[in-house]
Amino acid sequence: MPPRRRSASGYRGIRQRPNGGFYAEIRSGDLRLSLGTYDTAHEAARAFDATMWRLGRPRRQMNFQDIHMLQQALDVAPPPRINSAQDRAEHTARQRRLLVVQEDERVMAEWRRRHPEDVAYEQDYWARRREEDTRRRREERLDRRRRKALASAQADIVAAGGRSFFTEKDERWLDIWLSTSDDTNDDDDGADDWSDWD
């Protein structure tokens, strides 16, 4: 029998899956032996060659000609993948969640088509909300600038030998360290500016 031609992956017995993984399989007459899915084509090809060595197949049917013994093939092959009952349950749960998400997207698309006035109202609501958030952030930033300017002015008075109307343990002294950044990120979650110091 002539050797099988190499697939698009560049290796014999390896096919790329739609999810990006690489599936290794040995086919010969009635024999069809699945070796599983691997992250890279190279890993799948190494697993393919190790199995071919175990089956006693000739080297010309393998992907890598630099391997001369079974032990060498086993040394470079990736560890076997074990699919436990927990793995299968997690896969089933992921498939169910995917079906729910797909159905939800279908229903939402249908709702948008049937109720364009609600869609317009929702878009207006979020536009108003973004404007209010931006206005609030600007007001807070202006307040921080005023507080920082006051604390800086009091520090300058004390440095010049004068007397501040802040007491020694007044918390307003800490305002000198406030951030007064001009950033108005629309994705701001409202966290205080002290988080920059973490």
Side-chain angles (χ1 to χ4, degrees):
M1 172 195 296
R4 294 180 61 84
R5 69 178 178 82
R6 294 180 186 262
S7 65
S9 68
Y11 295 105
R12 194 175 277 118
I14 311 302
R15 289 183 289 156
Q16 186 169 10
R17 292 283 194 199
N19 68 358
F22 292 88
Y23 177 72
E25 180 180 66
I26 294 176
R27 290 184 185 182
S28 177
D30 293 337
L31 174 68
R32 185 172 182 174
L33 182 60
S34 171
L35 304 177
T37 304
Y38 296 86
D39 294 331
T40 66
H42 187 80
E43 285 180 348
R46 289 292 186 186
F48 177 90
D49 281 7
T51 306
M52 292 292 276
W53 270 100
R54 283 188 176 141
L55 294 174
R57 299 296 168 90
R59 284 182 54 212
R60 70 176 180 275
Q61 293 180 6
M62 298 181 195
N63 291 298
F64 301 100
Q65 301 301 316
D66 60 343
I67 303 296
H68 303 285
M69 296 171 48
L70 171 60
Q71 190 56 47
Q72 287 178 312
L74 294 175
D75 290 343
V76 296
R81 299 184 85 127
I82 299 173
N83 290 328
S84 66
Q86 181 181 357
D87 293 332
R88 288 188 291 278
E90 289 172 0
H91 176 72
T92 302
R94 282 194 299 270
Q95 292 298 323
R96 285 186 186 137
R97 284 194 300 270
L98 178 61
L99 289 174
V100 168
V101 168
Q102 289 172 340
E103 180 63 15
D104 187 46
E105 288 174 353
R106 188 193 66 75
V107 168
M108 287 302 296
E110 179 67 20
W111 177 81
R112 285 187 203 97
R113 187 183 64 75
R114 289 185 180 184
H115 304 285
E117 67 283 353
D118 289 343
V119 172
Y121 175 79
E122 184 179 8
Q123 290 171 344
D124 290 343
Y125 168 80
W126 287 112
R128 283 192 315 272
R129 179 79 183 267
R130 280 190 299 274
E131 288 173 8
E132 291 170 4
D133 289 347
T134 300
R135 181 183 47 76
R136 177 187 49 78
R137 282 193 306 271
R138 286 182 179 154
E139 289 172 357
E140 289 171 356
R141 190 173 54 251
L142 181 60
D143 180 57
R144 286 193 308 266
R145 284 183 178 158
R146 288 179 183 144
R147 289 167 42 203
K148 183 173 185 169
L150 177 61
S152 294
Q154 292 301 308
D156 291 343
I157 290 171
V158 170
R163 184 173 168 89
S164 170
F165 60 85
F166 287 178
T167 63
E168 188 174 317
K169 296 190 181 208
D170 196 324
E171 290 185 5
R172 291 181 288 179
W173 283 116
L174 297 175
D175 290 345
I176 206 164
W177 304 109
L178 285 176
S179 171
T180 56
S181 171
D182 287 332
D183 295 338
T184 55
N185 183 0
D186 288 336
D187 296 331
D188 187 8
D189 62 358
D192 62 13
D193 289 320
W194 294 101
S195 61
D196 295 342
W197 296 95
D198 293 340

